[in-house]
Amino acid sequence: MTFFEAIILGLTQGLSEFLPISSSGHLALLQYFFGIEGESVLAFAVLLHLGTLISVFIVYRKDIWALIVELFMVFKDIFTGKGLRINANPTRRLGFMIIVATIPTGLIGILFNDLFASMYSSLLSIGIGLIFTGTILWLAERINAGTKTVSEMQFGHAFFVGVMQGIAICPGVSRSGSTLVSSLFSGLNREFGVKFAFLISIPSILGSVILEAPAAFEQGADMSFVLPILTGVIVSAVSGLIAIKAMIKLVTGKRLWYFSIYTWTVGAAVVLYSIFGA
């Protein structure tokens, strides 16, 4: 793997993880057309995910710290006999919503891991996933703005968002797009919907890393790739930071249809290539 390839893959991961265009689909396409193979590729993909995770921690550091503090308060309430007190404050309620959303995502990832893995080598599957992403984004722009925040959000809404996040494990289906669209369908306001979509990406990304890391690092990595890999991870983190801030503005400005056009175009091209050109 060259520095150029590492930078392109890192940039793609960072931007496409949080912009609704599917990081998994774009990375699979780039690896296919670059012809990147070898034992270090899976380990590199795992580390790129950690790079984007850094960007989430930077943007939402105050919310994340508040959630961590509140977690310890939950344990304190349990040990003092007060119970979970789910509605004690908005931060605690948000924490439980994140947990509920993570459950279906984790179950889908574990139960259908082999199926999803097989789809990564199928250009047709990736193309169809991109077209699906464009369609749900187009539908999202036609939803009237919701008003619900964490106080009005129900556990059923969180579960629905988690299911959509699980479906987004399919290559070509955008995780950020799926979670955001399902948040809007649940009636959440756009600002809170974006925050919730990005916060639930933390356990999702960590979960994928935990599942993939043993196999990735068991295969080992060529030490000559260390500097390109480190470069790719840094690029992934920086570009992810830019993408999150851009996504917040685009969603509140109701400009998701830009990405519908992009994903439809790329998806259609990939489908046609898989049928006639591959």
Side-chain angles (χ1 to χ4, degrees):
M1 183 182 299
T2 66
F3 275 100
F4 175 75
E5 291 170 341
I7 290 171
I8 293 298
L9 291 173
L11 183 64
T12 300
Q13 168 64 25
L15 294 177
S16 57
E17 178 68 39
F18 301 114
L19 296 179
I21 56 176
S22 176
S23 62
S24 60
H26 280 71
L27 284 177
L29 289 175
L30 285 175
Q31 289 178 7
Y32 175 84
F33 289 110
F34 275 154
I36 300 174
E37 298 178 354
E39 296 179 345
S40 64
V41 173
L42 183 55
F44 183 50
V46 170
L47 291 172
L48 287 182
H49 279 85
L50 290 178
T52 53
L53 192 60
I54 292 172
S55 60
V56 179
F57 273 91
I58 292 174
V59 174
Y60 291 105
R61 58 190 179 279
K62 292 182 180 179
D63 295 281
I64 293 169
W65 177 249
L67 287 166
I68 293 173
V69 171
E70 196 59 37
L71 176 62
F72 284 101
M73 295 304 296
V74 170
F75 290 140
K76 177 183 177 182
D77 285 346
I78 291 174
F79 291 136
T80 56
K82 296 180 180 179
L84 295 176
R85 300 179 65 225
I86 295 172
N87 297 314
N89 55 66
T91 300
R92 182 174 300 195
R93 185 172 176 81
L94 175 59
F96 279 101
M97 290 296 172
I98 293 173
I99 292 172
V100 170
T102 301
I103 292 172
T105 300
L107 290 175
I108 292 172
I110 293 171
L111 294 176
F112 299 100
N113 182 58
D114 292 340
L115 173 62
F116 292 142
S118 67
M119 295 171 70
Y120 278 78
S121 59
S122 169
L123 289 179
L124 181 60
S125 297
I126 295 171
I128 292 173
L130 287 167
I131 293 172
F132 172 79
T133 294
T135 302
I136 61 174
L137 292 175
W138 181 81
L139 291 173
E141 290 295 66
R142 278 141 187 82
I143 302 173
N144 292 327
T147 59
K148 296 176 183 175
T149 60
V150 67
S151 299
E152 296 81 29
M153 186 181 186
Q154 301 298 315
F155 286 116
H157 300 146
F159 189 86
F160 174 51
V161 176
V163 169
M164 291 299 292
Q165 181 171 242
I167 293 173
I169 299 175
C170 297
V173 179
S174 168
R175 190 208 61 78
S176 61
S178 296
T179 52
L180 177 60
V181 169
S182 53
S183 294
L184 296 178
F185 270 112
S186 298
L188 305 185
N189 71 42
R190 288 176 176 263
E191 292 82 0
F192 176 65
V194 174
K195 177 190 288 189
F196 187 70
F198 286 148
L199 287 177
I200 66 172
S201 73
I202 296 173
S204 174
I205 294 173
L206 282 176
S208 68
V209 169
I210 291 171
L211 287 175
E212 296 169 1
F217 293 101
E218 181 180 331
Q219 294 176 8
D222 189 335
M223 291 305 294
S224 65
F225 288 169
V226 170
L227 286 180
I229 288 174
L230 181 60
T231 301
V233 171
I234 293 172
V235 171
S236 174
V238 173
S239 57
L241 183 63
I242 295 171
I244 291 175
K245 294 185 176 181
M247 187 63 172
I248 293 171
K249 293 182 179 179
L250 289 166
V251 172
T252 54
K254 298 194 68 173
R255 293 192 292 270
L256 288 177
W257 63 271
Y258 294 162
F259 300 106
S260 292
I261 295 174
Y262 173 79
T263 51
W264 278 335
T265 301
V266 176
V270 171
V271 168
L272 291 174
Y273 179 81
S274 69
I275 296 174
F276 300 108

